[in-house]
Amino acid sequence: MEGDEELVKSSEERPTAIEPATVDVRLTGGETFATAAGPTEVVPTPGHSPGHVSAYFPGAELLVSADALTVADGELAGVSPEMTPDLDTALESVAVLADRDVAETVCFHGGHVEAGTERLEEIAGGE
């Protein structure tokens, strides 16, 4: 079962645990699997949370960064310091993402932007 540990970012406003669930496949990074969009690489991107992963679609030069990055005012804005317990590790994760040929990025907070490798390098280098 997964979900039986206290959440990393618990607070009075947020519950401290979630209902445990059975996990069929644990993605930790390094896995590649087939999708309708072509092969997808799971990239470990800790920092926002332990065990955080992003998905890279090399055939489409598309990165689904999940919570590893944000979009603000239509621009790829990088990590959110107030929502990232380990900022140094998060920036290291951005550097790992910058090693890929990315043209477009989808973030869970902010959506889709036409920004990729060059902007990732800027963010990883401290903007």
Side-chain angles (χ1 to χ4, degrees):
M1 298 291 276
E2 298 285 333
D4 55 357
E5 295 182 26
E6 188 172 322
L7 298 176
V8 173
K9 295 179 277 185
S10 297
S11 68
E12 289 183 23
E13 296 83 34
R14 297 179 72 172
T16 58
I18 57 174
E19 187 68 30
T22 301
V23 174
D24 296 323
V25 178
R26 181 182 285 191
L27 301 175
T28 59
E31 301 88 359
T32 301
F33 56 93
T35 71
T40 302
E41 175 191 357
V42 178
V43 183
T45 50
H48 171 73
S49 62
H52 187 277
V53 297
S54 299
Y56 173 58
F57 298 78
E61 295 184 342
L62 173 68
L63 171 66
V64 178
S65 71
D67 285 331
L69 298 161
T70 60
V71 173
D73 299 323
E75 300 290 328
L76 192 56
V79 300
S80 173
E82 60 276 353
M83 298 301 290
T84 306
D86 188 344
L87 194 54
D88 290 339
T89 300
L91 290 173
E92 290 171 10
S93 292
V94 175
V96 169
L97 294 172
D99 287 339
R100 286 150 180 82
D101 292 323
V102 177
E104 301 176 69
T105 304
V106 177
C107 303
F108 286 175
H109 299 282
H112 172 264
V113 290
E114 291 187 16
T117 303
E118 184 176 311
R119 180 65 181 129
L120 293 168
E121 290 170 344
E122 291 171 358
I123 293 166
E127 304 202 37

